[in-house]
């Protein structure tokens, strides 16, 4: 049974930082690209960042480039999203997703597994 579990969300003031974690079980995580997506109330789910299975390739959406950093520790079956200089518009439920042997794609379709999400709220 493949399971992805996000953690690390919470309430933070604008300008603050959070680190989200995505823990995988039931898979050899090193064979999967992992993406972070987010969904704000009343909006569609959108791509945030992705990292290829090797950890070499990373892609960010423009709105978070330079503020967020995605990384992975395959030995621990973990992927992280370090979020700095948070803004109120970053408020959303954040989801991690895994794509087998992927290099990291920016659309949701190719991802095979999804977590349940973690809430991030940034106050102004």
């Amino acid at each position: 049974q493949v399971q992805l579990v996000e953690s690390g969300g919470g309430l933070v003031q604008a300008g603050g930082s959070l680190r989200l974690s995505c823990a995988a079980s039931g898979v050899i995580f090193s064979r999967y690209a992992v993406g972070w997506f987010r969904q704000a109330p009343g909006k569609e789910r959108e791509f945030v960042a992705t990292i290829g299975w090797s950890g070499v390739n990373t892609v960010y959406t423009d709105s978070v480039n330079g503020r967020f950093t995605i990384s992975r520790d395959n030995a621990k079956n973990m992927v992280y999203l370090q979020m700095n200089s948070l803004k109120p518009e970053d408020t959303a439920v954040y989801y991690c997703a895994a794509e087998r042997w992927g290099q990291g794609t920016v659309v949701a379709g190719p991802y095979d597994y999804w977590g349940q999400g973690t809430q991030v709220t940034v106050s102004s």
Side-chain angles (χ1 to χ4, degrees), residues 11-15 86-88 91 121-124:
L11 173 64
V12 64
Q13 289 188 333
L86 283 161
K87 304 175 181 180
T91 295
T121 303
V122 184
S123 63
S124 57

Side-chain angles (χ1 to χ4, degrees), residues 5 29 31 35-37 44 54 56 60 64 70 73 87 91 98 103 106 108 115 123:
V5 179
F29 212 30
R31 297 177 180 176
W36 285 96
F37 291 76
E44 294 187 352
S54 67
V56 173
Y60 300 90
V64 309
I70 190 170
D73 185 340
K87 304 175 181 180
T91 295
Q103 294 300 322
V106 303
S123 63

Side-chain angles (χ1 to χ4, degrees), residues 28-35 50-59 70-75 78-79 99-105:
I28 301 174
F29 212 30
S30 60
R31 297 177 180 176
Y32 288 77
V34 176
T50 186
I51 186 166
W53 63 269
S54 67
V56 173
N57 301 317
T58 59
V59 180
I70 190 170
S71 62
R72 68 188 302 157
D73 185 340
N74 286 336
M78 297 289 293
V79 169
E99 178 193 6
R100 183 175 172 85
W101 292 122
Q103 294 300 322
T105 58

